Amino acid sequence: EEEMDEEEKTVVDNDDENDTNDDRVDPDDSDNDDAESNDEGEEEMDDDDDDDKEEMEEESEDEDGITRSMRDASNAGNTFVLDSKGEQQSPSSFERCTFDLKNLLSHNNHQVDDTKLYSSTTPMEPEQGDVQSSTHIKKIPGCQVVEEDYLMQKSSDACQQLIAAIWNLPRLKANKTGEPLAVLPQRSEMILPRALPPPPPKKQTKWEVFAKQRGITKEQKRSQKVYDEATDTWKFRHGYNKANGSSGAQEWPIMEVKGGPDSDPYADPWELARDAKKTRVEKNLENQMRNQERAGLLPKGTATRFVKHKAKNLEAGRTGGNKDARRNSSTYATTAAPIPSGVPIDLPKSLDKSNANAGANPLKRGKELTSRALAATQRSTASMGKFDKMIEGEPERKQSVRKQKFDSLTDKTRSRMESEKSMKLLNAVMSGGGAKAKERARRNGSLAKGETAYDYDFDDGGYDGSFKKKKGRAAAGKNKKLTKKRIK
Amino acid sequence: MAPTPHQAKVNKAKIMAGGKKQPNARVARYLKSQESQMHEGPKNALLMKGIKCSGGMSVVLKDLRSILAPSAKLLSKNNDIVPFDDASSIEFLSTKNDCCLFGMASHNKKRPNNLVIGRTFDHQILDMAELGLIHYKSLFDYRGMPKKRLGSKPMMLFLGDKWHLDDEWKKLQNLLVDFFRGEPVEKISLSGVDHMMSFSVSSNSDVCHMRTYYVKLKKHPNGGSTPLPHLTASGPDMDFKVSYLISLFLISLYFCFFS
């Protein structure tokens, strides 16, 4: 059995010829500098596999009545050793390996024979007739030299057993390219960790909980296309260029006034439609956000903040925005638009458009703004209200413009104070704004106590050894030695 | 560049509020693929240089990238990182590059030809092993020889009884398998097994010999459908000693999930 028939010998020889074909690596390839290119050969269609495939279709008996499966079983028991020429050697003392097929792993748990692995007879071989090796990691002298053939033999043994085990695995029908697939075991013997923790189970949305409780399932699927009456074509239900117009009701040229107690024939139906759609979209978005909050994917309170923000923007858009908003924000609620102060205007009855509430809650200026409006009126004359007559009950007029006070030029004490004042100012600037500014900065958290912006050196990336001579264009005029003469 | 979990949450809130939109659908798809999933694909490896790296060690990294491609990323700059002192930089890099495995090569007088390989869980260091290379033969030295295909799964062999007797070597074995095994699959194409990696340790010494062979399946001379593999030396060969090993995985085995 160990001898090869002449027929099979030729088959094996053919394989050797195939080995020299240029599918894999071209030794004259100029890309040899990059080791990577050696690996990325084209996909090679192995002649062997075609033969294998044909053979697997039949289970024919041999002359001696031995089927292929029997041969496989016997082959699994014996190991063949082929040396580098492809010729067969006598089988070695055989060590059975254990496998972890999920990882294509084989363990040879037998002791390694040191006498065979490390042979002191083989000298440190110099690289003969070879181009200088690329690696600078040479064998450390004194380190034992490994018998490469021994390792190759052991690996061959294990490989044979592993291949036999893989070939015995259950098979799947050939995949798209026609190659047979072996089904690996589900679990691996060796426990290996994941890269990331598994994703948390998805939390159900409010609707999903309700639907499950009530047993509501989705009805039959909606059709992808809908008949569009405007263009008399079948268009998609959703997406780009969808049926019934991209903006829906807003695109209709004519809109009927619906009869009824609420209908207002003078209202703008397109504006109403637009507003209605906007509210629907925002409500949907809000609900999505609340579901995400419940699931823990969004920080709590995002949805409410979102709603408030949208409402505020809506009001600001409606009333044209308000420059006094910041000044008045403490007194007035965010929903009602702040009223401009100091300017007498006709206040609208109410911002609510529905007729029912028109007279009920008219907008009022309030005490603060009335007094401010009065103060503004008092000084709105050419002389800033200085020479105007006061009416009975009128509050005192505050002088909004202060006179500038100048220090005496001749008084000695005053002139000393001037220098002190200047020094005080300078010190305040140098110390980062003075005591008050420091306190303010400390309170709002931008500086720790006792610190100022001037307390830290600016880090421009330079250190003691970081001086670099400039070269080329950048060096123009900068490379001269700095002498006393030049400093002047 | 993947965002940290906090950044991801903030971005999501912004998008939900209708403000900032994802610039690209492709980017959104990529970020989604980098989130945790039930079934994981191949682990990505991040290869980088340490404080100082020699030419030989650079070749080692290049070869590692060739073997592990396409799931490997090779960074070109030197990094001021000492892994066993402070691994937080490595954790940050693994977050940003979406890599679970890492390899750091360095060379100095005290620790010549040093290669630190390790893996993370949830972007936190799980295992780290410092290998001192004694002998290395690169892909360049085997030029002209047939080599494995891009992305193919290796067959592996662990030779020697130390691998299952000694605790340190057990931990190292786990790490090496995780590093080199590629994509965890349920079925393989029978023509796709084309290379073998063997790691051998003898009982007396503490040197591990890694060898890679290209496998060509030939007809069995006895007949039968099981082919006979024919091994040729290809690919990188490495002899190394383990100078330091941290393994949190086997300690926390009950708290990790099976892959």
Side-chain angles (χ1 to χ4, degrees), chain B residues 137-153:
Chain B
K137 220 171 168 194
S138 78
L139 289 169
F140 180 73
D141 297 330
Y142 283 103
R143 60 188 176 279
M145 308 288 282
K147 297 205 181 57
K148 72 167 202 129
R149 254 178 276 186
L150 176 78
S152 69
K153 231 170 123 70

Side-chain angles (χ1 to χ4, degrees), chain B residues 109-222:
Chain B
K109 216 166 187 185
K110 247 193 175 174
R111 293 175 201 280
N113 304 319
N114 217 27
L115 177 67
V116 178
I117 55 173
R119 64 184 164 191
T120 60
F121 175 72
D122 200 11
H123 300 300
Q124 284 172 341
I125 299 277
L126 190 62
D127 288 2
M128 269 201 291
E130 186 179 43
L131 317 172
L133 299 200
I134 299 170
H135 166 61
Y136 185 76
K137 220 171 168 194
S138 78
L139 289 169
F140 180 73
D141 297 330
Y142 283 103
R143 60 188 176 279
M145 308 288 282
K147 297 205 181 57
K148 72 167 202 129
R149 254 178 276 186
L150 176 78
S152 69
K153 231 170 123 70
M155 294 184 281
M156 285 193 272
L157 164 69
F158 285 89
L159 179 65
D161 56 348
K162 253 190 178 171
W163 290 113
H164 73 279
L165 291 180
D166 195 320
D167 269 349
E168 292 287 300
W169 290 100
K170 255 196 233 175
K171 293 172 186 173
L172 184 69
Q173 183 185 46
N174 202 300
L175 177 58
L176 288 172
V177 170
D178 213 4
F179 211 82
F180 289 111
R181 74 162 169 163
E183 191 172 351
V185 283
E186 287 129 28
K187 41 191 188 284
I188 45 159
S189 168
L190 294 175
S191 60
V193 284
D194 59 1
H195 74 295
M196 173 141 205
M197 282 183 168
S198 77
F199 300 87
S200 5
V201 191
S202 91
S203 323
N204 303 325
S205 79
D206 55 351
V207 177
C208 174
H209 307 281
M210 176 188 118
R211 298 284 181 274
T212 322
Y213 304 103
Y214 170 68
V215 170
K216 182 134 180 141
L217 301 174
K218 302 200 170 178
K219 269 211 187 55
H220 203 283
N222 266 5

Side-chain angles (χ1 to χ4, degrees), chain A residues 1 8 24 36 48-49 72 103-104 106 108 111 114 118 133-134 146 148 179 182 184 193-195 197, chain B residues 36-38 40 43 65 122 141 156 158 160-161 181 186 188-189 191 202 204 209 211 217 221-222 225:
Chain A
E1 253 183 60
E8 299 185 61
R24 292 223 170 248
E36 201 179 301
D48 285 341
D49 290 334
D72 284 348
N103 297 319
L104 301 184
S106 62
N108 185 334
Q111 280 200 343
D114 272 3
Y118 299 119
S133 170
S134 66
V146 166
E148 299 290 339
E179 291 162 12
L184 298 174
R194 288 181 124 253
Chain B
S36 53
Q37 287 150 32
M38 284 309 295
E40 294 192 328
K43 288 187 174 181
R65 202 263 235 106
D122 200 11
D141 297 330
M156 285 193 272
F158 285 89
D161 56 348
R181 74 162 169 163
E186 287 129 28
I188 45 159
S189 168
S191 60
S202 91
N204 303 325
H209 307 281
R211 298 284 181 274
L217 301 174
N222 266 5
S225 55

Side-chain angles (χ1 to χ4, degrees), chain A residues 207-457:
Chain A
W207 165 253
E208 282 172 358
V209 170
F210 180 77
K212 198 174 182 189
Q213 195 186 60
R214 295 296 192 93
I216 304 168
T217 51
K218 200 160 190 186
E219 290 163 17
Q220 60 177 173
K221 265 190 171 182
R222 287 179 171 174
S223 63
Q224 224 182 9
K225 290 210 168 179
V226 172
Y227 189 69
D228 181 25
E229 283 168 8
T231 53
D232 280 349
T233 51
W234 285 91
K235 283 190 180 176
F236 286 105
R237 189 188 288 272
H238 306 288
Y240 171 73
N241 198 21
K242 65 180 176 188
N244 297 324
S246 55
S247 337
Q250 293 169 56
E251 279 191 4
W252 303 342
I254 301 168
M255 288 180 85
E256 285 182 2
V257 174
K258 289 180 193 158
D262 279 339
S263 63
D264 179 11
Y266 300 104
D268 187 349
W270 290 275
E271 205 177 294
L272 290 176
R274 188 172 135 269
D275 284 348
K277 176 154 191 193
K278 260 201 167 174
T279 359
R280 264 182 283 130
V281 168
E282 280 172 14
K283 184 170 178 290
N284 189 23
L285 211 53
E286 183 200 333
N287 285 335
Q288 281 180 31
M289 290 176 96
R290 288 205 199 278
N291 276 326
Q292 296 243 307
E293 273 181 35
R294 239 174 268 123
L297 299 168
L298 274 186
K300 292 258 174 188
T302 328
T304 14
R305 246 181 284 134
F306 169 75
V307 167
K308 276 191 177 172
H309 180 71
K310 288 281 175 182
K312 193 173 174 190
N313 282 349
L314 189 65
E315 284 308 312
R318 197 172 281 155
T319 56
N322 197 328
K323 287 180 191 165
D324 297 330
R326 225 186 306 151
R327 235 190 292 162
N328 302 337
S329 58
S330 54
T331 336
Y332 293 91
T334 43
T335 44
I339 303 152
S341 69
V343 178
I345 56 165
D346 274 335
L347 293 175
K349 287 286 163 111
S350 146
L351 288 178
D352 199 351
K353 286 202 173 172
S354 68
N355 297 325
N357 296 336
N361 300 315
L363 287 178
K364 287 181 181 167
R365 191 165 264 131
K367 189 180 178 187
E368 193 192 315
L369 290 191
T370 314
S371 47
R372 272 212 236 164
L374 181 59
T377 324
Q378 281 174 329
R379 58 177 185 265
S380 25
T381 49
S383 52
M384 305 287 277
K386 200 172 176 186
F387 306 110
D388 293 340
K389 272 189 203 166
M390 298 277 279
I391 303 172
E392 192 186 305
E394 197 187 322
E396 224 182 77
R397 286 180 198 151
K398 281 190 203 167
Q399 209 176 17
S400 54
V401 180
R402 282 187 226 141
K403 263 184 172 176
Q404 195 178 16
K405 211 176 174 188
F406 295 105
D407 287 339
S408 158
L409 293 170
T410 47
D411 197 354
K412 270 189 188 170
T413 48
R414 286 268 141 196
S415 59
R416 225 178 293 137
M417 271 185 77
E418 189 188 323
S419 66
E420 280 171 14
K421 264 193 191 174
S422 306
M423 281 308 289
K424 195 177 171 187
L425 181 66
L426 179 69
N427 286 329
V429 167
M430 290 310 286
S431 65
K436 265 194 184 172
K438 253 198 195 176
E439 257 306 299
R440 234 180 290 139
R442 192 189 62 79
R443 242 181 288 129
N444 71 24
S446 52
L447 293 173
K449 189 171 183 183
E451 286 178 9
T452 55
Y454 295 91
D455 288 340
Y456 295 98
D457 266 327

